[in-house]
Amino acid sequence: MSDAAPTPAHVSLPRRLVRTTLVGLLVLLPVLGVCASLALRTPAWWSPIPRTDAAAAERGAQVEQALVSEFTRVRNDAPEWSIRIEQRDANAWLATRLPAWLESRGLPQAGPVQALMGPGWVRVGVELPQAIVWWQASPVPQAGGWKLQALRMGAGRLPLPGFGAATFPGLDQASVEGPIRLADGRQVRVLDVEVLPGEVRLRLRTEPAQASER
């Protein structure tokens, strides 16, 4: 009787790779399932105002008019001033005035939009066909305007670390580079931005037009 031929050691390597891959998939698939479930779930804070809400449309128009009035007011004796934007007013504008603003410029529209304001941050969510996607940032004053810092995002109830402004270049448009220039040559400089639960407070200064621009 002849002895059985020894099995080469290298034959077991593919089997180990297959076994390791299968074990990894068994561990990974439930994790992916949980992530997908969280991403598709509606966030607890999500409750956008319908665009057809008449009261919200009126409030949104009033907010827009009030902001225009404050920014264009002549302030010879008190150039520094402040405004407070409440979360409910911002959401009324986002729900009713933003779609009209996008339509007037031929820009594409998404689904309902909602803002949430917390201590030091603003979160904005939009309803897409696949899920509710949201971004969170801290607005800070810079060079007379403001920029967004500490930006992160998520889908549904799932935070997505590692995604930021570089992933969504269009979000840069939410920043304001330099003072806001008015039609008469004056400019409004942002001195401070403070975000509190339910509101944003801005401290500003209206500066006269330069002599060359008068």
Side-chain angles (χ1 to χ4, degrees):
M1 187 175 74
S2 61
D3 296 334
T7 302
H10 70 274
V11 173
S12 61
L13 181 59
R15 294 179 180 177
R16 289 201 299 271
L17 290 175
V18 171
R19 186 164 56 247
T20 301
T21 301
L22 290 176
V23 171
L25 288 175
L26 291 175
V27 174
L28 185 60
L29 286 177
V31 174
L32 292 176
V34 171
C35 291
S37 176
L38 290 173
L40 295 175
R41 291 180 63 186
T42 301
W45 53 271
W46 182 253
S47 182
I49 300 173
R51 184 180 180 181
T52 55
D53 189 317
E58 182 178 357
R59 188 165 65 248
Q62 291 174 349
V63 169
E64 185 175 304
Q65 293 169 5
L67 288 176
V68 171
S69 176
E70 288 295 322
F71 270 82
T72 57
R73 179 180 299 180
V74 177
R75 303 174 184 273
N76 294 328
D77 299 329
E80 289 195 12
W81 52 287
S82 61
I83 57 172
R84 182 180 68 174
I85 303 174
E86 295 186 4
Q87 180 176 292
R88 65 168 189 163
D89 291 336
N91 282 323
W93 189 89
L94 289 171
T96 61
R97 302 295 292 175
L98 177 61
W101 185 85
L102 293 173
E103 286 177 357
S104 67
R105 287 158 177 77
L107 299 174
Q109 296 190 52
V113 181
Q114 182 186 349
L116 183 68
M117 300 171 184
W121 52 263
V122 175
R123 181 182 301 167
V124 178
V126 58
E127 184 176 333
L128 300 179
Q130 297 81 7
I132 296 167
V133 179
W134 50 268
W135 299 265
Q136 184 170 310
S138 299
V140 295
Q142 176 178 278
W146 68 75
K147 68 174 182 177
L148 300 178
Q149 283 186 340
L151 187 63
R152 66 190 186 97
M153 68 166 294
R157 300 194 179 190
L158 178 68
L160 299 175
F163 291 83
T167 312
F168 297 90
L171 291 178
D172 294 340
Q173 298 178 9
S175 299
V176 175
E177 297 181 359
I180 301 167
R181 188 171 298 277
L182 304 179
D184 59 5
R186 293 178 300 154
Q187 60 183 17
V188 177
R189 182 177 298 273
V190 178
L191 303 178
D192 189 33
V193 181
E194 183 181 15
V195 186
L196 301 172
E199 64 180 39
V200 174
R201 297 180 181 179
L202 299 173
R203 187 164 60 88
L204 308 111
R205 183 173 66 237
T206 301
E207 301 175 344
Q210 302 295 325
S212 59
E213 299 177 353
R214 295 177 183 174

